[in-house]
Amino acid sequence: MEVCKLCPRRCGIDRSTARGFCNSPAVPVVARAALHFWEEPCISGDRGSGTVFFSGCTLRCVYCQNREISRGKAGKQITVERLEEIFFELKDKGAHNINLVTPDHFAVPIVQAVRRARNRGLDLPIVMNTGGYVSDETYDLLKQAADIWLTDFKYSDSALSAKYSGAPDYPEVAAHALERMVEDTGSPVYDADGMMQKGVIVRILLLPGQVEDAENTVRQIWDKYGDRVVLSLMDQYTPPSGGLEGFPELERTVTDEEYDALCDLALDLGIEEAYVQEGGTQSESFIPPFDLEGV
């Protein structure tokens, strides 16, 4: 962390004294740690996913709905020891798993905390909930703790990833990271209640006007991995209240026709195991308050 090159941007700064692109110190910054019921059913179940929301991010998505934490404007610095305790507190509340949201830039302390917790008997699956922009260095760390990868695949077109997330290399980086995730994790494994214990879920958030890009992503993943990954096709995009200056095409929700086209493609390809969203998803209900609950 003294010469941080964890993410593909490779800032090389000393995070004990300065902030790089992710706007994060060397120690974890957490904005919320609580049961979360709005993930895919095999993650949230009926008791909730024990979700830890980390502040900071290695992307700059102009449409980000969690910008309060992704820009590092909310959250509290904690120790590795405190993070370890949070895992057990979430387990005591009945969590099906420990779900680490945007873990990439805190990979070092996260792995330390998980290792300590495992040594104390933590037996819940660990979910790495990532934006997909995962370098080899970060992956090599996080894989030591990961049982489940819940990863975005935001774009197949580098022009879009440059325009909307400031990361022209996103498609290449995300494809490489996904290849490693599937290679190391293998096909999905579920317990008797249908809760995932091991596997890879790939989220594809449909953006307004970008059906073709999302379709290309679905084809790319299905052609290479088939049912070794679980696809989650999402229509919940909701324009944020600010930050879209210069991007008028994103100032609307996804139409039913756009989402139906994406789902129809999945059916035409023969995809049988995938999650889809129906009705009422385009709201703020998926965004919890980042009020330091559980921190």
Side-chain angles (χ1 to χ4, degrees), residues 48-99:
S49 177
T51 306
V52 182
F53 288 90
F54 293 95
S55 295
C57 186
T58 60
L59 291 170
R60 282 289 185 273
C61 302
V62 297
Y63 51 83
C64 180
Q65 294 183 330
N66 287 351
R67 66 181 62 225
E68 183 182 0
I69 58 172
S70 67
R71 303 296 195 264
K73 296 179 181 178
K76 176 182 177 182
Q77 293 188 24
I78 64 172
T79 64
V80 168
E81 292 78 12
R82 176 58 192 143
L83 184 57
E84 174 192 0
E85 290 302 325
I86 286 173
F87 297 160
F88 284 100
E89 290 168 6
L90 291 170
K91 178 181 178 179
D92 289 343
K93 292 177 180 178
H96 289 286
N97 45 61
I98 301 298
N99 181 1

Side-chain angles (χ1 to χ4, degrees), residues 55-267:
S55 295
C57 186
T58 60
L59 291 170
R60 282 289 185 273
C61 302
V62 297
Y63 51 83
C64 180
Q65 294 183 330
N66 287 351
R67 66 181 62 225
E68 183 182 0
I69 58 172
S70 67
R71 303 296 195 264
K73 296 179 181 178
K76 176 182 177 182
Q77 293 188 24
I78 64 172
T79 64
V80 168
E81 292 78 12
R82 176 58 192 143
L83 184 57
E84 174 192 0
E85 290 302 325
I86 286 173
F87 297 160
F88 284 100
E89 290 168 6
L90 291 170
K91 178 181 178 179
D92 289 343
K93 292 177 180 178
H96 289 286
N97 45 61
I98 301 298
N99 181 1
L100 307 177
V101 181
T102 322
D104 313 51
H105 48 298
F106 293 122
V108 174
I110 282 173
V111 170
Q112 293 172 342
V114 172
R115 183 179 295 124
R116 290 171 60 96
R118 291 295 194 211
N119 289 338
R120 284 180 54 194
L122 183 71
D123 55 0
L124 297 180
I126 303 295
V127 182
M128 294 298 174
N129 190 334
T130 172
Y133 197 50
V134 182
S135 69
D136 276 333
E137 291 86 349
T138 296
Y139 181 83
D140 286 339
L141 287 166
L142 293 179
K143 76 173 184 178
Q144 299 175 43
D147 299 297
I148 298 167
W149 291 93
L150 180 54
T151 182
D152 294 333
F153 205 114
K154 297 179 181 292
Y155 318 94
S156 61
D157 184 349
S158 61
L160 286 179
S161 64
K163 181 179 181 180
Y164 293 147
S165 295
D169 59 343
Y170 180 94
E172 175 185 354
V173 171
H176 178 64
L178 179 58
E179 182 175 21
R180 296 195 65 188
M181 292 172 192
V182 178
E183 179 180 327
D184 289 338
T185 309
S187 298
V189 175
Y190 303 90
D191 67 11
D193 297 320
M195 300 302 299
M196 184 175 279
Q197 304 297 297
K198 182 180 178 182
V200 180
I201 300 174
V202 181
R203 286 174 164 172
I204 300 172
L205 174 66
L206 180 59
L207 295 175
Q210 299 302 334
V211 175
E212 182 178 357
D213 188 71
E215 289 179 337
N216 289 339
T217 302
V218 170
R219 288 193 190 95
Q220 174 184 337
I221 295 172
W222 175 251
D223 288 348
K224 185 164 187 175
Y225 302 111
D227 59 9
R228 285 187 291 166
V229 305
V230 179
L231 290 176
S232 182
L233 309 181
M234 307 171 73
D235 74 340
Q236 70 185 55
Y237 173 80
T238 303
S241 58
L244 289 180
E245 296 78 9
F247 305 97
E249 71 276 16
L250 296 180
E251 293 180 344
R252 67 171 177 87
T253 58
V254 171
T255 66
D256 291 342
E257 290 76 15
E258 287 174 322
Y259 189 59
D260 287 346
L262 181 61
C263 293
D264 287 345
L265 171 71
L267 291 171

